[in-house]
Amino acid sequence: MATMPADRTPDSTLALLRSGYRFIGERCERYGSDVFQARILLAPTICLRGRPAAMLFYDSERFQRDSAMPLRVQRTLTGRGGVQGLDGSAHSDRKAMFMSIMTPAAIQRLGQLFDDEWRARIPAWEAAGPVPLYDELGRLLTRAVCAWAGVPLASSQVNRRAVELHAMIEGPAVVGPRHWRGLFARRRAERWIGDLVERARTGIHPAPVGSPLEIVSEHRDASGALLPRRIAAVELLNLLRPVVAVDRYIVFAALALRDHPGWRERVDGDDEATEQFVQEVRRYYPFFPMAAARVRRSFDWEGHHFPRGRRVLLDLYGTNHHPAIWPEPELFRPERFAGRRVDPFELVPQGGGDYTAGHRCAGEWITIDLMKRAVTHLTGGMRYEVPPQDLTLDLRRMPALPPSGLTLTNVRRA
């Protein structure tokens, strides 16, 4: 039996917070191994990266999600009791609910709402001075996804709800005020959506027919019971929040267009080139840093022992930058996707494996569609300038974003 390399510090939690996205990858390089162990949050933890590791990690016979995700993540980002922490038939049932929402027609409708919101904002951007793209996108996507989901949202509430959704995304991997804001935002958002679910169920405010609000509110588990009010709110937020989080990818796409201006002409009107560009944005830029699971039953893998109950972290960012999978991974090269089938265990920015039965994000198709639409707007629908500003990406911060949020000036309709 091979000896698994180990981080020598008594606890590596602070090192993880200091290193951010590079924590696992740097240690894999240091130890010459794609698997090592460390103590994180005072508990023994196995860290993995790479394609074989991803194939292992998404084996539901060997791993479970129940109790795997740290509570601080559940209390801010995902919500307690959501689909991400379920296993077996409970997971299959809940995932089927989400997949029933992800029809081509539904994705098209959300995309059209997004397009309409974007075009409607251009006159205001033309009249404004500097346009903070990240903030604008957060509000724009909040309006679009709420309209799509059947969630009523008054104009006066848009900024508040966008701020809450952003706070939940920002909260898990930090300490202090940003984490507290995430906690408070999660509580407020669950009350907001829980009230909507209750009113839909009682008929006080019926949900639009076929809307995600109706589907989640009326979903029954294998025993025939409706989801508890809070769980229904958690799952509806697991639709709203990830769509709003696409604003980060759109900021990264705009940043990539600035840094690689030759791609502006290549993607303009070319769907294949746009697809390659969007996939490389998803591979290259930081989004989810890692995913968590627990060993279901003890086993050995490649000479290493995985004891029952051990928490395991899969490095999503590190797998997307693994040199054995992606030659010159630190270079932005969309052409690497030309003619390449997207392998579910190689490109894992939103998780890996199978959509329907596994834990890969059900909203990945929505992400790609919205990003492609945004690239079309940025290259063919408007003109703008990117003035000097701080656009560095600090990979120690999770989730990462340019400090300026990417400010645009002199916006005008194309």
Side-chain angles (χ1 to χ4, degrees):
M1 184 69 62
T3 300
M4 187 181 295
D7 225 12
R8 292 190 174 89
T9 56
D11 188 89
S12 298
T13 305
L14 290 179
L16 189 156
L17 294 175
R18 285 195 299 265
S19 300
Y21 288 89
R22 296 194 185 278
F23 171 78
I24 295 177
E26 286 177 345
R27 282 154 181 78
C28 286
E29 295 297 325
R30 180 187 306 167
Y31 304 135
S33 170
D34 280 344
V35 54
F36 68 92
Q37 55 188 328
R39 289 184 66 84
I40 298 175
L41 296 175
L42 302 177
T45 303
I46 296 175
C47 301
L48 306 165
R49 70 166 184 172
R51 186 180 188 278
M55 293 181 68
L56 172 72
F57 183 83
Y58 287 101
D59 182 348
S60 61
E61 295 297 316
R62 290 178 165 178
F63 292 96
Q64 64 186 44
R65 267 58 187 178
D66 181 27
S67 76
M69 200 175 297
L71 282 175
R72 62 184 297 108
V73 178
Q74 298 178 51
R75 289 170 176 166
T76 53
L77 184 68
T78 63
R80 291 176 292 114
V83 65
Q84 299 93 337
L86 299 179
D87 295 295
S89 60
H91 175 261
S92 298
D93 174 76
R94 199 79 60 82
K95 189 65 178 286
M97 178 191 75
F98 279 98
M99 296 307 294
S100 74
I101 295 170
M102 301 300 162
T103 65
I107 295 170
Q108 172 68 24
R109 180 170 177 270
L110 176 57
Q112 188 60 59
L113 288 166
F114 172 74
D115 286 342
D116 293 344
E117 290 287 348
W118 188 298
R119 295 189 186 101
R121 287 300 297 162
I122 291 181
W125 295 345
E126 289 177 323
V131 175
L133 185 61
Y134 175 67
D135 293 338
E136 284 285 334
L137 288 170
R139 292 187 286 269
L140 187 158
L141 283 162
T142 298
R143 288 191 295 269
V145 73
C146 285
W148 173 76
V151 171
L153 184 66
S155 297
S156 60
Q157 292 292 304
V158 171
N159 188 67
R160 174 185 175 183
R161 300 308 181 190
V163 168
E164 287 175 355
L165 291 165
H166 275 164
M168 286 187 276
I169 296 163
E170 290 275 347
V174 292
V175 294
R178 282 172 60 205
H179 181 67
W180 302 333
R181 284 194 292 270
L183 291 172
F184 297 144
R186 163 61 60 179
R187 293 170 189 165
R188 288 193 296 267
E190 287 186 8
R191 285 197 298 269
W192 164 47
I193 298 298
D195 287 345
L196 292 178
V197 169
E198 195 68 29
R199 291 202 293 270
R201 287 174 172 174
T202 58
I204 295 174
H205 193 293
V209 176
S211 67
L213 174 58
E214 181 189 54
I215 291 170
V216 175
S217 297
E218 299 304 318
H219 179 74
R220 294 180 181 272
D221 62 21
S223 68
L226 291 170
L227 297 177
R229 168 187 158 138
R230 189 188 65 79
I231 298 299
V234 165
E235 298 299 36
L236 198 56
L237 285 167
N238 276 330
L239 288 168
L240 305 185
R241 172 187 44 75
V243 170
V244 173
V246 177
D247 56 7
R248 294 176 175 273
Y249 270 143
I250 296 173
V251 167
F252 293 149
L255 182 59
L257 289 169
R258 169 194 176 273
D259 293 340
H260 307 275
W263 276 91
R264 295 188 66 88
E265 293 184 5
R266 294 180 67 174
V267 301
D268 191 8
D270 187 330
D271 187 69
E272 184 176 342
T274 302
E275 179 88 18
Q276 294 170 22
F277 182 84
V278 162
Q279 295 289 34
E280 180 68 348
V281 169
R282 296 174 67 236
R283 184 202 70 82
Y284 180 80
Y285 288 95
F287 198 61
F288 288 133
M290 59 195 72
R294 284 195 185 276
V295 177
R296 185 182 295 278
R297 58 180 63 89
S298 299
F299 67 90
D300 297 328
W301 178 74
E302 295 193 354
H304 300 297
H305 184 62
F306 286 67
R308 179 182 177 182
R310 183 65 49 89
R311 177 177 284 154
V312 176
L313 300 178
L314 175 67
D315 184 1
L316 302 180
Y317 179 82
T319 299
N320 289 335
H321 288 76
H322 199 299
I325 305 172
W326 310 101
E328 299 180 299
E330 299 308 320
L331 296 181
F332 183 83
R333 294 177 50 230
E335 59 271 18
R336 72 173 79 239
F337 285 97
R340 176 173 183 156
R341 183 182 69 86
V342 176
D343 186 293
F345 299 104
E346 292 179 348
L347 183 66
V348 293
Q350 293 169 267
D354 179 64
Y355 290 105
T356 55
H359 282 266
R360 194 180 189 99
C361 179
E364 190 167 10
W365 298 320
I366 284 176
T367 300
I368 293 169
D369 182 70
L370 293 177
M371 288 179 68
K372 290 172 69 174
R373 291 173 183 271
V375 168
T376 298
H377 288 297
L378 289 166
T379 56
M382 56 188 266
R383 297 289 178 264
Y384 58 88
E385 297 173 8
V386 181
Q389 60 193 282
D390 187 355
L391 294 174
T392 57
L393 278 178
D394 184 355
L395 293 178
R396 295 171 298 179
R397 176 178 172 137
M398 300 182 292
L401 193 74
S404 69
L406 191 57
T407 297
L408 310 181
T409 57
N410 297 324
V411 175
R412 54 211 181 273
R413 193 183 305 271

